[in-house]
Amino acid sequence: AMRRIELVMSLVVFAFALSAASAEELRIGGRVLVPGGSPLPQAEVRLIPLRGPLAEVRALLGEETEPAGRAMTNAEGRFQLTAPHAGLWKVRVEAPGFVTLETSLKPLIEPVELEDAQLAADSGIKVKVTDAKRRPLSGARVLARTDRGRFDYGGPAWTAALRVGSTGEG
């Protein structure tokens, strides 16, 4: 009976702590680097709420989740975001000429300093979608995912983001 009371009290304390954490803003900091370890200024960093497994399907349909916060990296490659509350979030780093990276914060319950995100140069890819008679299709949605291991890009916490696009004319 005493163990049960201790367990219930622990759960109550945990619930109060979680509700207090979910009511306050939480700082997220980090640094973005290029290959070789130099800082990358002017990279865009976005804080995006995690929406569940259908998010990729929505992305294919062209729907983009509105970020809860945005920041640009400074001359040292550093950024700071503020999450409006505790919860399930992802941080995405984008810069022209580099592969977009993201990391999940599941759950974000306290301020966090992320490990360095090291962006890889984007080699570019051209995709041609054709019909059964090998005629180019315009407006076809294309989803690109990197099949490399998560340690190949930016460190263990960072992975290459899902990329979505449409084919053009001819």
Side-chain angles (χ1 to χ4, degrees):
M2 190 58 128
R3 294 293 280 163
R4 184 175 284 167
I5 291 172
E6 288 175 4
L7 177 63
V8 169
M9 289 304 292
S10 296
L11 289 174
V12 168
V13 169
F14 178 73
F16 278 122
L18 188 58
S19 68
S22 67
E24 68 183 54
E25 292 183 339
L26 300 168
R27 189 189 69 76
I28 303 161
R31 187 170 66 152
V32 179
L33 308 174
V34 296
S38 298
L40 179 62
Q42 298 300 305
E44 183 178 14
V45 185
R46 293 188 283 163
L47 179 66
I48 302 168
L50 287 174
R51 298 283 187 210
L54 293 179
E56 290 183 12
V57 174
R58 290 187 184 113
L60 269 177
L61 298 173
E63 297 176 23
E64 202 169 308
T65 303
E66 189 63 32
R70 293 178 191 266
M72 298 297 282
T73 56
N74 63 17
E76 290 82 39
R78 297 204 171 278
F79 66 88
Q80 259 193 18
L81 294 165
T82 303
H85 54 78
L88 304 177
W89 301 94
K90 70 179 167 183
V91 175
R92 179 176 290 161
V93 177
E94 298 178 0
F98 294 95
V99 175
T100 299
L101 293 182
E102 60 188 25
T103 189
S104 296
L105 305 173
K106 300 190 256 187
L108 174 66
I109 57 173
E110 61 185 1
V112 65
E113 183 72 20
L114 299 172
E115 69 177 65
D116 292 347
Q118 186 165 337
L119 300 184
D122 186 352
S123 60
I125 186 170
K126 287 191 175 197
V127 176
K128 184 175 183 180
V129 180
T130 61
D131 63 16
K133 295 182 180 177
R134 297 189 169 234
R135 292 180 299 214
L137 292 175
S138 63
R141 301 295 288 173
V142 178
L143 175 70
R145 176 186 308 227
T146 302
D147 284 335
R148 295 181 183 176
R150 62 186 221 158
F151 296 101
D152 290 344
Y153 285 103
W158 294 94
T159 58
L162 183 70
R163 288 152 310 224
V164 179
S166 295
T167 58
E169 294 293 325

